[in-house]
Each structure stands twice: as structure tokens, then as C-alpha cells.
Amino acid sequence: MAARAPSATRIQPVVVGSKNATETVVDTILKPLSTIEAAKRLAAYTAVDRHVKPEHIIIGIGSGSTVPYVVERIVQQGREANKDRVFIPTGFQSKELIVSSNLNLGDVDQYPTIDVTLDGADEVDRDLNCIKGGGACHLREKVLAEAAQTFILVADYRKNVEYLGTNFKPGVPIEVVPFAYAKVLQNLHHILGSPKATLRMAVAKAGPVVSDNGNFIIDAPFEREHMEQPYEIMARIKMLTGVVEVGLFCHMAQAAYFGNEDGSVTVKYHDGKVETVAPPA
Ligand SMILES: O=C(CO)[C@H](O)[C@H](O)COP(=O)(O)O
């Protein structure tokens, strides 16, 4: 059997109905994708082809519906390329994805330096600031983004905006310790200028969404004036006692890949450069 990184663990997937890597690849080949799914896949594949190289051994895997295409492309690099790699998840979903794809699973406390982390985003602005946390994973996502030598975003064209809050309307996701949520909501309403901030409620469960860390999530929409330079409001929210992490990632990503409707990919870089990768001929 192939050698593995020393402290990586392999466990069996626990989610009933989760697909293995072969099934996912077969699905992708056989079933036509919607325009949005095709755009997500294009962004993810292009980013993996450019940023997941043979020398990259410790790889952070983000959360959301675009990230499965990242993992799919990594699996396509083959067993040999992946046998010594360790994959670090940003939450329950990406842990299941790693395990069900037969990749080596590790954690960020074992591997605090990550070669490259690839993750989705809810929206990305012209300076590569982004909103994350639509899936309530932004605490671990930010840790893996900070731990990474290279942090790359992958998304479809709807997420590519000049200013945060343009298309993504729920607001900035804020993870809070449960007993402090009402106090933090008051702070957001009356001090920080987000009168419509609300506690995120679960859909198929009575009560609030509980994050993978056992915390609550507040969604706080802000006016454009705050979103033009989001670092300042991010820092002010983070200073509120009871806040664990804020879903504003400022100046963290090296590049963002957006799959477009016409099959091209727009790449925005941290230095302001923008590239268009033409669709395959
Ligand atoms: O931040 C996230 C989860 O907390 C996701 O990366 C973000 O919500 C984007 O997800 P998707 O790829 O499904 O649009």
C-alpha cells in the first residue's frame, strides 16, 4: 500500500448518501451542469491546475458548494500525486469530502503551516476583500486562510463585485458565543450601524444555526460606506466581546478565480491585476 504522511488519519465517511470520488467524477462527466455549476467547476479546476503543484503537500480545503470541484480536480491528479499529501478541512462538510475522496485527513493543530488553501466565497470585491460564512464555517476558514502560504478563492461570476454587499444581501456573518448573542445584536443595532442584524435561524431544526464550534451566527448587513473599506468595520465588530470571528476576510487572498457564463475565467490578483482566461477552444 502507498506510504502516507506520518500523522495523517483516515476514517470512514459517516454521512449516509455521500458520494465517493469516482461517483462524483462520473456524475460530472455524465450529467450536464447548469450554467452556475459549470462556472463553479471551471473556476475550481483552473485554480487547482495553477496552484496545487507536486511540491504542495499540506493543502487546506474550504467549505461550500464550489469546493467539491476543487477536490474533484485534485483527485484527478492521481493517486501518486496525492499519496503523501495531507488535506486540512474547514469544517464537517469538507472533512467528509476529504474522507469520501480517499484523501489523507489532517488538522490545522498538527499542520499549522499550510502550502495552499482553496476556498469559496460569498462575494469578493475589487481589492480581494471577501464575505465568507454563508455556510457558517468562517472561523475555521479564516484560520486555514491565515495558516496558508497561498490563499486562493474560487467562485462563480455572481460573486465578482466592486463592493461587498452588492449581490450578497444577508450581510456579514458573525460567529458569537451563544450567551452573548443578544448583547452583540444590541451593539450591532445601536453602535455599529447595522439595525437589521439578525440571529441566523436553522431551516430543518427549531432554533438558531449552531456552528461546527457550537456557536451562533449573526448576519449583519451594512451600508455601502462601510463596505468600501471593510477592514475598519471588520476590526470594530471583532472588538465586541462575545464575537468569535467575523466573515470579512480583508487582504488575505492572493488570487480569486471566477467562472463566467461564457466559459472564460476571470482571475483577480491581490496587486490589482485582472486576467481573463479564454474558454478552451
Ligand atoms: O464561506 C463559506 C462557508 O462558510 C463558503 O465558502 C461560501 O458560503 C461560498 O459557498 P458556495 O461555494 O456554496 O457559494
Side-chain angles (χ1 to χ4, degrees):
M1 213 174 99
R4 259 181 231 148
S7 45
T9 54
R10 270 170 191 262
I11 57 173
Q12 287 304 308
V14 296
V15 172
V16 175
S18 69
K19 291 179 178 175
N20 65 37
T22 313
E23 283 170 333
T24 309
V25 171
V26 169
D27 274 4
T28 307
I29 293 165
L30 296 181
K31 291 182 190 164
L33 297 178
S34 70
T35 306
I36 288 171
E37 287 304 307
K40 290 178 188 180
R41 185 176 70 177
L42 198 58
Y45 276 28
T46 309
V48 169
D49 292 352
R50 290 187 173 192
H51 297 281
V52 183
K53 298 293 182 189
E55 65 271 24
H56 296 139
I57 302 300
I58 312 298
I59 299 173
I61 299 295
S63 308
S65 60
T66 314
V67 161
Y69 297 116
V70 166
V71 173
E72 188 173 283
R73 191 59 160 175
I74 289 172
V75 168
Q76 288 172 16
Q77 291 184 348
R79 282 175 96 80
E80 185 61 26
N82 286 308
K83 73 178 186 344
D84 292 330
R85 285 179 171 157
V86 181
F87 294 84
I88 316 296
T90 51
F92 183 91
Q93 179 223 354
S94 47
K95 183 174 169 186
E96 289 305 305
L97 195 56
I98 291 165
V99 170
S100 63
S101 302
N102 287 315
L103 298 170
N104 299 317
L105 178 69
D107 210 342
V108 69
D109 54 358
Q110 297 167 279
Y111 300 97
T113 303
I114 295 174
D115 292 316
V116 55
T117 292
L118 299 103
D119 202 348
D122 295 302
E123 222 167 40
V124 186
D125 75 7
R126 65 205 188 293
D127 297 323
L128 293 198
N129 300 307
C130 63
I131 295 180
K132 288 188 52 54
C137 300
H138 53 283
L139 169 59
R140 285 187 65 92
E141 289 172 341
K142 205 179 258 191
V143 171
L144 266 67
E146 256 180 42
Q149 316 269 20
T150 305
F151 176 50
I152 301 294
L153 296 167
V154 289
D156 63 74
Y157 53 91
R158 299 169 304 169
K159 317 293 184 68
N160 183 6
V161 295
E162 278 284 294
Y163 300 108
L164 299 179
T166 303
N167 298 327
F168 186 75
K169 296 299 182 189
V172 176
I174 303 167
E175 181 157 348
V176 293
V177 292
F179 77 90
Y181 91 88
K183 194 277 309 185
V184 173
L185 270 177
Q186 269 187 6
N187 295 159
L188 288 162
H189 292 166
H190 303 304
I191 302 172
L192 292 194
S194 181
K196 295 195 173 138
T198 49
L199 184 65
R200 191 183 297 180
M201 301 308 282
V203 176
K205 162 194 174 279
V209 166
V210 178
S211 75
D212 288 348
N213 317 300
N215 295 316
F216 291 172
I217 306 292
I218 289 172
D219 292 302
F222 287 93
E223 295 294 334
R224 167 67 54 85
E225 60 179 292
H226 291 296
M227 291 291 111
E228 284 176 358
Q229 298 292 338
Y231 184 88
E232 190 189 326
I233 194 70
M234 185 274 290
R236 291 183 69 198
I237 300 168
K238 194 151 173 173
M239 286 301 291
L240 297 173
T241 303
V243 168
V244 179
E245 195 45 82
V246 185
L248 281 169
F249 289 37
C250 300
H251 313 127
M252 298 184 79
Q254 273 76 34
Y257 286 72
F258 303 96
N260 295 319
E261 286 169 287
D262 64 0
S264 66
V265 176
T266 299
V267 192
K268 294 204 287 199
Y269 295 95
H270 65 105
D271 61 1
K273 205 178 105 193
V274 180
E275 178 191 0
T276 304
V277 184

